[in-house]
Amino acid sequence: MSDIVKITGLEKTYSTGSESLTILKDLNFNVEEGSKTVIIGQSGSGKSTLLNIIGSIDTATKGTVIAGPWNVTALSEEEMAEYRSKFLGLVFQFHYLLKDFTALENVYMASYMAGRSKKDSVERAKALLEDVGLAERMNHLPGELSGGERQRVAVARALINDPSLILADEPTGNLDPANSVLISNLLFSMADKYRKTLILVTHDIKLAEKGSVRYTIKNGQIEKVGEKE
């Protein structure tokens, strides 16, 4: 397998007035296509910052990020939008569902806005919602769904545009223990089923153990700490 993400000499410094804080320091990191890569680290270690830079949500101070055919550190605004809609699926700690739209609408709109027909978008959204166990709940509004159900909708939405890479930032962070297990199992099983590369950041050691490759971020550097045979 080849590498789907290649990161070289990455640095991220936040500056406020006369003070600056470097979160990531000359970080080098590759992700193999098809892997389920988990990055663990304490709060403030830079793991979410790294994910946000890969996802073009944040920008690097120095260094290069290549994801598939995209040079993420040199994208125009138009290219960024295309990169996010065509190459990435994003799952955050908070679901970010639109409260006035049903689960089905929240999922299919991401496909429809990317240029697919409404008919095809709806059909794919229905299939994905069935896959995540929400066949009976797809016409409910987010306010009528439990926290775990809302996060399942978010997982379906992340897959709607058939992305090559899924980025998940503390996807179980807002859930109770039982739902945390359900969502983490779902995320890994869906990534397997649809053959997606997954990069997930968490501080949850039990969740981290599900990854095929595990890294830790400490003092701005990343280090491999485990790999499944």
Side-chain angles (χ1 to χ4, degrees):
M1 284 283 187
S2 58
D3 291 327
I4 192 169
V5 177
K6 300 176 185 177
I7 296 176
T8 310
L10 187 68
E11 290 198 10
K12 179 61 182 180
T13 300
Y14 292 101
S15 299
T16 51
S18 60
E19 294 193 8
S20 65
L21 176 65
T22 299
I23 301 290
L24 304 173
K25 306 170 187 173
D26 194 25
L27 185 146
N28 299 289
F29 174 55
N30 288 359
V31 176
E32 192 175 276
E33 188 174 1
S35 68
K36 311 296 179 287
T37 297
V38 178
I39 303 168
I40 54 176
Q42 295 180 337
S43 181
S45 63
K47 58 188 187 301
S48 291
T49 299
L50 174 59
L51 205 72
N52 286 341
I53 291 171
I54 296 170
S56 79
I57 296 163
D58 202 348
T59 55
T61 306
K62 282 173 65 177
T64 305
V65 177
I66 306 294
W70 306 86
N71 181 349
V72 181
T73 35
L75 296 178
S76 67
E77 286 293 325
E78 188 177 333
E79 289 167 336
M80 270 185 202
E82 190 179 4
Y83 167 65
R84 287 183 200 138
S85 69
K86 290 186 175 178
F87 192 78
L88 293 181
L90 302 170
V91 182
F92 300 99
Q93 183 171 343
F94 186 70
H95 55 78
Y96 293 112
L97 300 179
L98 299 169
K99 65 183 178 66
D100 295 325
F101 294 86
T102 65
L104 179 61
E105 289 167 336
N106 266 283
V107 176
Y108 91 66
M109 273 197 302
S111 172
Y112 186 50
M113 289 172 69
R116 292 174 183 82
S117 73
K118 183 174 179 180
K119 181 176 180 287
D120 287 348
S121 299
V122 170
E123 284 179 3
R124 180 162 171 78
K126 283 180 177 177
L128 284 167
L129 286 165
E130 286 173 9
D131 265 359
V132 300
L134 292 177
E136 307 300 320
R137 308 285 284 165
M138 62 178 70
N139 292 314
H140 287 64
L141 296 169
E144 300 169 324
L145 301 173
S146 69
E149 287 172 335
R150 288 194 288 266
Q151 201 64 327
R152 280 191 253 169
V153 177
V155 171
R157 182 183 56 190
L159 288 161
I160 188 71
N161 286 332
D162 195 25
S164 298
L165 178 63
I166 297 173
L167 304 179
D169 187 2
E170 297 279 10
T172 63
N174 276 338
L175 302 175
D176 59 68
N179 271 310
S180 291
V181 172
L182 284 171
I183 291 300
S184 60
N185 287 342
L186 176 70
L187 197 49
F188 281 92
S189 67
M190 293 292 275
D192 273 336
K193 177 175 181 176
Y194 289 99
R195 299 180 180 180
K196 304 304 179 189
T197 305
L198 173 67
I199 306 176
L200 183 148
V201 303
T202 184
H203 64 270
D204 184 335
I205 300 299
K206 284 187 177 179
L207 174 53
E209 287 171 353
K210 296 179 187 293
S212 58
V213 193
R214 296 182 299 284
Y215 291 84
T216 185
I217 284 192
K218 201 172 182 181
N219 300 322
Q221 295 285 302
I222 194 163
E223 179 183 338
K224 186 185 284 189
V225 292
E227 187 167 5
K228 286 184 179 174
E229 295 297 327

